[in-house]
Amino acid sequence: MAADNSTTAMQTDSRDWADRWRHINKILDRRGPFCDNSFREGYENTLLPQCKVLVIGAGGLGCEILKNLALSGFKDIHVIDMDTIDVSNLNRQFLFRPSDVGRPKAIVAAEFVKNRVAGVVVTPYHGKIQDKDDDYYKQFQIVICGLDSVEARRWMNATIVNLSQELGEAIPIIDGGTEGFKGQARVIIPTVTSCYECSLDMLNKPTTFPICTIANTPRLPEHCIEWAYVLEWPKVFKNEKLDTDDPKHIQWVFEAALERARQFKIAGITYSLTQGVVKNIIPAIASTNAIIAAACCNEAFKIATTSAPYLDNYMMYTGNEGVYTYTFQHQKKPDCPVCGENSVNVDVNKNWTVEEFIEWLKEKPDAQLKKPSLMTADNKKIYLQAPPILERSTRPNLEKKLSSLIEDGDTIIVTDSTLPFSLQLVVSLI
Amino acid sequence: MLKIWSIKKDNAQAEKKKPKVSAAQIRVQKDLTELELPSTMEMSFPDESDLLNFNLSIEPDEGFYKGGVFRFTFNINNNYPHEPPKVRGIQKIYHPNIDLDGNVCLNILREDWKPVLNLNSVIVGLQYLFLEPNAEDPLHKDAAEDLRTNRKSFEYNVKQSMRGRDVKGNYYDNVMAKN
Ligand SMILES: [Zn+2]
């Protein structure tokens, strides 16, 4: 960006200087062979100055992502993280110092980047992604996920894909993940490319051991730890659920595992291994985080500037046997419950009973339904074919008018053995 | 700038606000409504508005455990089917693959779970445990040893335990079906 375009604050800031952005201006000041048609020369003409980018997670990947975005010309960065800083994070989460231990990651990371990189605004939120609603998420043009949990990713993916469908405009998601020396980066353009849910089947499963092994023939320290928290904890504490974030609980598991390991003459139980097994933490390697975060941020930069084609759509990085990367186009699942084209608008006579409605569904030649079960999107049962107990309790609904159970515009989730997944009917009562 | 990804759709659909329905919820609806429960099994819901938590009872019609009714709780979380359902026996029973706390040793409930499996697979697996208890994957060591070394004695002990009697110093729950 040209110096005369900087804000007053930036001109007076000793951390700003002429030519500070020369590295990105080389790419942005003239059209190159790979630029998109919509590309216009100059930093100001890209999305970078106004683009609101949301970073989910301020941990190992998140620290890298925040730093990279700030150093690539993004100005308006938001970050969400629910965790507080633990001593064990300091070896790789370089935005944090020993004095920050116990403070919220999002807040400390935002402060650090703001103080270090002139002209960048980082807005933190210390809390859960589920605390925020669609109005919050729709202000962003790009979402980057640096998460370590499948559940959080599924929620984020579903939220952004649904929102994109509603807005009629896709909010790209860039998802990074690492496991030891391995990692992946992918670009999800909602409804255009495959989404996170589409690829659920190909995820690595967390390592679990057969329960009979941990009960009878432990050989590894991990077996003893699993014995302590899977079998012993519920026996001793009955109804109290193990809280994996409570150090007292982890300490209890650690001591129980240690005692068990002593009986079986197994070495290697430590507090941190206990924490790792219970929380299913795969050791994070700083450099893998750096590689994956860099790949994610380059994609964000290309998407925001259209200066080069973005990743289409999945990059795997394998560093545990030499170095291997592989890029491929992960295919969209037509029956994906999140992005699949399984939503249909139907006009329904408002005088129909549920039974008449079901008969009509079965006769619809394009649907091919045999025994449809119906629930509303907010989880109210209309009629279920099985199991028998639910069939019996929903049977009285068959005689009721559909309009007494749903409102105009409501969505009905239909499942049927003839459907690969489900069908969502958006019902207009006429 | 990002308009290049504007999604083509008809306006009628764009106006409708799509409610959030979790993929786990839909999947549970699909799994439950396509269950083919044999006559030896029954399901019940402590709270019918919550499909993620239910009980299953199995009344085997053959094998060592014929005549008993065995109850399990199923607990499904929002990460289903990435994570398997949690299944636990409610009664204290004498079974090589189920311990006194109700933990069940069934490979597809843990190490061999895959998202393509479903509730039906789990239920079939559970049923199989009662028809063919397996001495090779012991969770209740005494029972497994008993089955391996002396099937007659095992059969006798199973019958005793099912009536709520003592087997080798342990009292079991009476699980006999009430006729
Ligand atoms: Zn999808």
Side-chain angles (χ1 to χ4, degrees), chain A residues 180-234:
Chain A
F181 281 120
K182 294 193 261 185
Q184 86 282 333
R186 63 191 292 190
V187 171
I188 296 167
I189 310 289
T191 76
V192 177
T193 68
S194 74
C195 77
Y196 188 74
E197 194 78 22
C198 289
S199 58
L200 207 58
D201 298 353
M202 62 183 255
L203 285 182
N204 284 337
K205 269 182 14 85
T207 321
T208 45
F209 304 101
I211 202 158
C212 15
T213 304
I214 65 174
N216 299 312
T217 49
R219 296 178 306 277
L220 301 172
E222 288 84 350
H223 293 158
C224 301
I225 297 167
E226 287 215 10
W227 172 85
Y229 89 93
V230 175
L231 297 175
E232 273 306 281
W233 178 277

Side-chain angles (χ1 to χ4, degrees), chain A residues 45 47 134 141 150-151 154 159 162 164-166 168-170 191 197 203 205 208-212 215-216 226 231 234-235 303 310 373 375 377 379 381 386-387 389-390 393 411 413 415-417 419-422 424 426, chain B residues 1-3 5-7 9-10 13-14 16-21 23-27 29-30 32-35 37 43-45 48-49 51 78-82 88 99 101 103-105 110-111 113 115 137-139 141:
Chain A
N45 292 320
L47 196 63
D134 284 357
Q141 282 80 50
V150 173
E151 196 172 354
R154 287 178 75 189
T159 300
N162 279 338
S164 296
Q165 284 171 336
E166 228 168 77
E169 198 175 308
T191 76
E197 194 78 22
L203 285 182
K205 269 182 14 85
T208 45
F209 304 101
I211 202 158
C212 15
N216 299 312
E226 287 215 10
L231 297 175
K235 198 186 274 183
I303 287 170
Y310 51 84
S373 292
M375 287 191 42
N379 218 13
K381 294 181 279 296
I389 184 151
L390 296 180
S393 69
T411 300
I413 315 283
T415 54
D416 189 298
S417 54
L419 293 170
F421 204 79
S422 71
Q424 307 195 10
V426 183
Chain B
M1 202 141 319
L2 290 167
K3 293 273 192 303
W5 300 302
S6 285
I7 302 159
K9 58 175 2 184
D10 55 282
Q13 200 174 337
K16 296 268 160 35
K17 200 164 155 60
K18 219 177 140 193
K20 262 200 206 115
V21 41
Q25 283 281 0
I26 305 181
R27 176 59 197 267
Q29 177 183 337
K30 180 166 177 66
L32 278 176
T33 56
E34 289 169 22
L35 272 182
L37 281 183
M43 225 170 201
S44 65
F45 291 78
E48 272 204 17
S49 66
L51 297 185
N78 257 314
N79 214 6
Y80 186 75
H82 179 66
R88 193 172 255 277
D99 73 12
D101 300 301
N103 293 296
V104 182
C105 187
R110 269 176 80 83
E111 68 276 12
W113 172 258
D137 295 328
L139 207 50
K141 267 188 175 166

Side-chain angles (χ1 to χ4, degrees), chain A residues 81-102:
Chain A
D81 196 301
M82 63 185 283
D83 284 343
T84 52
I85 298 162
D86 187 81
V87 182
S88 64
N89 303 141
L90 299 177
N91 63 357
R92 62 194 184 285
Q93 300 180 17
F94 54 88
L95 301 178
F96 312 139
R97 299 290 170 267
S99 59
D100 298 322
V101 168

